[in-house]
Every structure is written in structure tokens, then in C-alpha cells.
Amino acid sequence: MRVLVTGGAGFIGSHIADLLVARGHEVVLLDNLLPQAHSGAPEWTPEFVRGDVQDAALVTRLLSGVDAVCHQAAVVGHGLDPSDAPLYVSNNDLGTAVLLSAMHATGVRRLVLASSMVVYGEGQYSCATHGTVRPGPRREADLAEGRYEPLCPICADPLSSGLVEEDAPLDPRSTYAATKLAQEHLTSAWVRQANGSAWALRYHNVYGPRMPRDTPYAGVASLFRSALQRGEAPTVLEDGMQRRDFVHVHDVALANVLALETPADGFVPVNVCSGEPHTVGELAVELSAAYGGKSPLTVGGARSGDVRHVVASPDRARTLLGFHAQVTFANGVKSFATDPLRREAEGGVLPVLGA
């Protein structure tokens, strides 16, 4: 199978490309090498094109002879503030729209989309009295006073958090999250209009080698590791008890390859997670110990748009794709302590490469 991997030089895309090649597939990599995530062009692939997924003519040309597309190209992470919105929307949503249009024009009907757990907003919650409920955004006053747990929106009692499944309501709470949900909606419309098929892989907290470092667009694991590498203590927001599912990039690559090798029945969202939830505080402690660095500092507070608990059910991925995570939290974090990270390009300038 010949696969176009957009964002193929990035953190996750490069691992997908590695695994595709190892399994005997042909890959074409497209990446615009945004300086937030790259320090240079990959040297390990013969079919790399530096270019933008928003370039319709280029994307159309690259789709010639392609059997499926693995769409990883996106600006990711929490970002800085709402001023990032044009950056996110142009790269994530306009880029996806251009790609889908080109796929329709060239007759490519199979897509694997990199989505995210952020489309859920808060995870799954239940109240002892009112059953499953959806708490609203946490109030700034509560966060300032150290009251981090969402309460029942009906009776204000404490809630229990559980595993979120793919049919849960979607409630994006950041610009990035809104653009990821828009990608899903665009893809779902394309599936119906173009008689295509698509897996939307909702990644949970991905970590591992080749993460970008020293950038606000990285995930929390990279932020912790970057601090340790600078000789600083990792800074943990809130009380460190936020629950997440940390999934290793090697497992995320495997989920993508299995999705590329397995035809989807229409538009199918799937959680990509380890099924082994941990707290953010646990990650900081374990990573600091494995690195041999300073102990984490828990400082309270919260970033605007942050949610409290998002942990996922791995059942659909296991049933439909035969996927289950192979890297345990303990082994993955131990390796991550010494994994190579990517520095942001100095001055944000990169050389232009030919196709």
C-alpha cells in the first residue's frame, strides 16, 4: 500500500512512517516543518516533500498513486491564548478541507485522521443521585481557591470520574480542541459526500522520543522533561491529581498502521489510549525519579480551558482494530527520561527543501 502521511516529519507522523516502512508499505511524507515542532528536515526517508497541506496543487500531485492518507499535519497543544486561533484554524481546518477536496478530486477514498481526546472536554462523570452528568466549565473563583473537582450541575455534589467512550457528548474547551472537532466534522461530511471511509483516532496524552521541547505547543510530558533537562523542577498545576491516559508514541503509531490496514465502515471515531490511567502528578514524580532530576513542584492554579479528568475506554480500538497498548506506563516513562527530544528551530527559520 502507498500512503501519504501529512505531518510525516513530526513527532507522531515520523513514527508512523517508520512502522509503515517496516511493514512493507510505501510512504510519501509531506510536512511544512513549522518551527514550533521541528529543528530540521528528516534525513531518513527518500520521499519527503517540504510543503503545506493547504497547497491544493501540491497535495493533488502527491496523491497520484496513493491508496490511503494518514493525516497528522496540525498545530497541536494548548498554545498561548486566543491570539493563536488563526494559526490553529488555518493549519488544522483549512488544511484538512484542502486535503479532503484533493482526495475527492483524485479518487482517494481512505483516510486515517489524527483527532484528539480534547474533543470531549471533560471526561465521563456520574453523580450518586443523578447518574451520568456533564459538568460545565470550572469557575475561575473555584480554581483560585483550590477547588478543582467539577461538581454535579444539578445538586452540586461531588462526582465520580469514569472511562469516556466514543459516543460521549463532544464539548471542546480550547481553540485547539475546537479545531480538532471541526476536522472530525469536515471528515464525516467528506465520508458521506465522497463515499469515503475514515478512522478518527482520538489520541490521549501521547509521549515518547522525538517530542518537541521548550515550546508551549508541546504536551505535559514534554514540558516536564524539558524542565528536567534545563536543571529545573517540573511544575505541576492544580494539585497534581488530574487523571489522564498517557499513551506511548510507539503504540499510537501502531494504532495508525492498523487503521490504515483495516477498512473503516464510514466515519468511525476511536480512542487511542493505554487503558492505564494515571495522574499528572504521578507522571511528574516518576519522570523526575527516572531522570535523576529535581522533585516536582505542585503550584496550584490552572490554565484557561484545562479540564480535570479525561480517561478513556480502549474497548472499541481493541474490538475494531485489534489494538492494545504494548508499552506500560512504568517502562515508557523510564525510557522517556533519556529519549531524544527535538529543539525548536533557532529563530524560527528552516531551509527550504526541494520535492
Side-chain angles (χ1 to χ4, degrees):
M1 179 169 53
R2 185 171 175 82
V3 180
L4 172 64
V5 183
T6 70
F11 166 44
I12 297 174
S14 63
H15 285 283
I16 295 169
D18 286 345
L19 188 56
L20 282 169
V21 171
R23 290 168 79 110
H25 300 294
E26 295 181 63
V27 295
V28 182
L29 306 188
L30 173 65
D31 203 301
N32 64 1
L33 299 179
L34 280 177
Q36 292 95 329
H38 298 282
S39 54
E43 300 176 352
W44 44 266
T45 175
E47 292 194 72
F48 170 73
V49 177
R50 182 177 179 187
D52 201 304
V53 73
Q54 299 173 61
D55 184 338
L58 173 62
V59 173
T60 300
R61 176 168 66 83
L62 294 180
L63 285 170
S64 177
V66 161
D67 300 296
V69 175
C70 188
H71 184 32
Q72 306 295 313
V75 175
V76 301
H78 198 86
L80 299 173
D81 56 47
S83 65
D84 282 330
L87 175 70
Y88 280 109
V89 171
S90 60
N91 283 278
N92 298 0
D93 298 336
L94 179 58
T96 297
V98 171
L99 172 66
L100 294 172
S101 174
M103 291 178 67
H104 174 64
T106 56
V108 179
R109 297 287 180 261
R110 294 180 58 189
L111 176 68
V112 174
L113 171 69
S115 187
S116 172
M117 60 150 189
V118 296
V119 300
Y120 296 118
E122 287 284 358
Q124 181 81 11
Y125 291 90
S126 62
C127 171
T129 303
H130 298 102
T132 300
V133 294
R134 294 289 297 173
R138 296 180 296 172
R139 301 188 307 166
E140 292 291 337
D142 289 335
L143 298 176
E145 294 294 327
R147 295 187 293 270
Y148 302 118
E149 293 291 341
L151 300 176
C152 177
I154 302 170
C155 66
D157 279 352
L159 299 174
S160 298
S161 68
L163 300 181
V164 65
E165 298 184 348
E166 290 85 353
D167 58 357
L170 305 180
D171 183 19
R173 299 194 178 180
S174 68
T175 300
Y176 169 59
T179 63
K180 296 308 288 185
L181 182 54
Q183 284 185 306
E184 287 201 13
H185 287 325
L186 288 166
T187 299
S188 178
W190 168 82
V191 165
R192 292 190 297 271
Q193 293 171 334
N195 193 30
S197 66
W199 298 100
L201 302 185
R202 292 174 178 164
Y203 303 159
H204 286 252
N205 289 72
V206 188
Y207 72 100
R210 303 179 192 162
M211 287 193 87
R213 59 167 289 199
D214 295 325
T215 167
Y217 298 93
V220 67
S222 177
L223 298 178
F224 289 165
R225 170 63 195 284
S226 297
L228 290 165
Q229 203 159 330
R230 295 191 302 269
E232 302 170 2
T235 299
V236 181
L237 298 181
E238 302 187 22
D239 57 2
M241 298 304 293
Q242 312 93 298
R243 295 172 70 233
R244 297 290 189 271
D245 189 305
F246 299 99
V247 57
H248 197 273
V249 69
H250 290 166
D251 287 322
V252 174
L254 175 60
N256 274 272
V257 173
L258 290 173
L260 286 163
E261 294 175 344
T262 306
D265 183 11
F267 174 82
V268 186
V270 175
N271 287 323
V272 176
C273 59
S274 71
E276 186 185 353
H278 291 272
T279 68
V280 171
E282 284 181 84
L283 173 66
V285 168
E286 294 299 321
L287 186 58
S288 297
Y291 189 86
K294 294 182 179 179
S295 297
L297 295 176
T298 302
V299 299
R303 297 182 302 182
S304 174
D306 271 352
V307 297
R308 183 61 173 172
H309 304 297
V310 187
V311 293
S313 168
D315 291 346
R316 181 178 291 184
R318 184 183 300 115
T319 299
L320 298 184
L321 296 176
F323 168 78
H324 66 276
Q326 300 178 357
V327 181
T328 65
F329 179 79
N331 290 340
V333 172
K334 182 178 179 180
S335 296
F336 184 59
T338 56
D339 282 336
L341 303 185
R342 298 181 179 192
R343 291 192 64 87
E344 181 176 342
E346 295 183 8
V349 177
L350 289 164
V352 177
L353 305 179

